[in-house]
Amino acid sequence: MSRDDMVEIFRRVLETDSVSVDSDFFASGGDSLLGTRVLSAVARAEGVELSFEDLIEAPTPAALADRVASVTR
Amino acid sequence: MSVVVVGAGIAGLTAAAELAGRGVDVQVLEARDRVGGRTRGIEIAPGGWADAGAAYLGERHTALLELMARHDLKTVPTVMEGDSRFDVRGAASAQSVPGRFPPLSGVALGELFDLLDEVTRSVRVDAPWLGPDAARLDSLTAAEWADTNLRHPDSRLFFPLFLGEMMAAAPADVSVLHMAFYLRSGGGLRYLNAFAGGAQEWRIDGGAHRLSEALAAGLGDRVRLSEPVTAVEQDDTGATVRSASGTTRADAVIIALPPVLADRIDFTPELPARRSGERTGPGCAVKVHLIHPSPLWREQGLSGWSVSADGPLLSTVDDSPADGSAGVLTGFVTGEEARRFAALSADEQRATAIAQAGRLFPDLPEPIGFHVTDWVNDPYSRGCYAALFGPGDWLALGPGLTRPHGRVHWAGTETSTEFFGLMEGAIRSGRRAAAEAAARP
């Protein structure tokens, strides 16, 4: 999953286009409920089960895409 | 022009105040010996108040904020800093977790919220009985929906807790249409669920009951307490409202009651359709207040927020007064648990709630005060937060929700498709009903 794919997921969940690869999910209007929807979208796209802590530790599309890559590699 | 308003909750008092402001001769008949309906203050320390009923608001609640500003009422932010306590893994194994997210599968909960979001968006919020899939969604209970759609044990565990918190319902109590409508009407899943940036951003300083008290003060002796209304008779020249002390005559009547209570009034001529159905149930909420000298949990790095898979206290939240006069942990007992808890004796209620609070917050001393407010069996509310529409209800009741019956107009949060079940919905319904009554020829 590319960083741009992850940006798309963030945009869809946050319902805003103002998300870049370095946007922080929680500073962009995300909360725990919406965060779970990023996790389910990633699971659907990649078959990877990230935890909520993964999103807290890697809250940007860039960091979260890297985390997915590190799991699937 | 004269109007009788039945019910001195927020909806009725809003309607009455609007009409009085237009020079209408208005009388409010209230069954209880207090105003406020499903808001009620309990004094938990000298000058310190807790909300025994409706409590929270957010920035989208514009009518409420405007009314508060007019009556010089301030907001208090809900405080949620520190770790949460979760007991969702069975065997009473409470654990501390940073933030508000329970120690359950994030992916499973995400799938649950995806499904809920999808069905929520599919309803027509201004007229849920008319949406494209309305008939099917109205025929299914949320329990049946969950049974079909939720596969993961964590989403099956969390769904009833979520529904209890959002709308004081057990999944078997409500149709899928009502669940989806309610979530949409309140601003969607995220907004309705959130404290900061959501529908629980603030409380009303000094208690939500102060709004009704301020409205009632402006109406003076036009508000008549202990006057349960039994009948409304209409003829060619007006309406006669029968209540405890006699009859009151008016050009129009506004019924500002929950639907089940509206149906207990005898109307002549009869209503063309009932206001509630066989499956319309009471909102199932019992509120428990555990009082401490101060918010001691904050010193322990805890927010006071907890979620438990087993009752009675399915969630707790820090509702301490802003002035520091006391520490208040509010326990929410909702859905099935509310019915079970409400049936216990006062001693049993106290013992089970305090025992559970002791497991959730083992470092807290026993509370110095304890209050239980049972809305399920309250004869003049018949449930809280709001009436629960079961299977079949929306298709049968929706078309008549706000349709006047001759000189009779309808208010109450259950008649507002905007913010249904909330204080905001009550105010909007009161304004609408007042405008209708004032516009009568």
Side-chain angles (χ1 to χ4, degrees), chain B residues 76-81 195 201 203 298 303-304 317-320:
Chain B
V76 194
T78 44
V79 180
M80 185 108 27
E81 278 165 26
F195 279 77
E201 176 121 39
R203 288 174 284 131
R298 293 184 198 168
S303 64
V317 63
D318 181 341
D319 272 338
S320 303

Side-chain angles (χ1 to χ4, degrees), chain B residues 14-182:
Chain B
T14 299
E18 294 265 330
L19 289 166
R22 298 178 195 213
V24 172
D25 171 17
V26 66
Q27 298 275 311
V28 184
L29 303 181
E30 165 57 44
R32 293 182 169 103
D33 60 1
R34 64 166 181 87
V35 298
R38 286 169 272 182
T39 61
R40 183 160 83 78
I42 37 181
E43 194 171 18
I44 40 89
W49 293 80
D51 289 302
Y56 304 110
L57 69 148
E59 67 174 10
R60 294 190 197 175
H61 301 167
T62 51
L64 174 54
L65 286 164
E66 189 188 304
L67 205 53
M68 286 170 60
R70 208 181 298 165
H71 293 281
D72 208 25
L73 295 169
K74 305 277 181 277
T75 56
V76 194
T78 44
V79 180
M80 185 108 27
E81 278 165 26
D83 290 358
S84 304
R85 296 283 291 166
F86 291 105
D87 190 357
V88 291
R89 282 296 185 199
S93 53
Q95 60 185 116
S96 293
V97 173
R100 259 193 86 196
F101 191 76
L104 297 169
S105 161
V107 172
L109 297 200
E111 286 166 354
L112 164 66
F113 293 133
D114 289 340
L115 287 163
L116 282 173
D117 190 58
E118 190 186 346
V119 69
T120 296
R121 284 174 196 276
S122 77
V123 299
R124 188 172 148 185
V125 71
D126 65 322
W129 62 96
L130 294 179
D133 205 14
R136 190 181 67 88
L137 298 177
D138 194 45
S139 71
L140 288 172
T141 67
E144 291 163 338
W145 177 89
D147 216 38
T148 309
N149 287 286
L150 305 181
R151 287 281 148 258
H152 197 287
D154 285 6
S155 54
R156 294 172 83 98
L157 178 143
F158 192 72
F159 175 64
L161 299 176
F162 183 75
L163 213 57
E165 211 175 286
M166 292 300 104
M167 55 192 296
D173 293 340
V174 291
S175 67
V176 182
L177 184 60
H178 187 55
M179 170 182 77
F181 159 77
Y182 191 98

Side-chain angles (χ1 to χ4, degrees), chain B residues 331-389:
Chain B
F332 285 87
V333 191
T334 54
E336 261 334 305
E337 284 295 339
R339 280 189 281 261
R340 198 172 303 146
F341 190 68
L344 299 177
S345 72
D347 285 348
E348 289 169 323
Q349 288 179 339
R350 186 190 172 91
T352 54
I354 289 180
Q356 187 181 9
R359 290 194 300 274
L360 284 166
F361 300 99
D363 296 330
L364 286 184
E366 277 235 346
I368 57 170
F370 180 80
H371 305 268
V372 172
T373 310
D374 173 7
W375 293 100
V376 185
N377 296 304
D378 186 309
Y380 293 127
S381 289
R382 297 288 292 267
C384 195
Y385 323 148
L388 301 176
F389 287 8

Side-chain angles (χ1 to χ4, degrees), chain A residues 15 29 31-34 36-37 39-41 43-44 48-50 52, chain B residues 100-101 105-107 109-111 113-114 117 121 162 189-190 193-194:
Chain A
E15 296 181 35
D31 64 4
S32 56
L33 187 152
L34 292 180
T36 64
R37 305 191 59 199
L39 305 180
S40 60
R44 263 196 304 279
V48 174
E49 289 231 0
L50 297 179
F52 193 71
Chain B
R100 259 193 86 196
F101 191 76
S105 161
V107 172
L109 297 200
E111 286 166 354
F113 293 133
D114 289 340
D117 190 58
R121 284 174 196 276
F162 183 75
L189 285 181
R190 189 205 67 81
N193 175 62

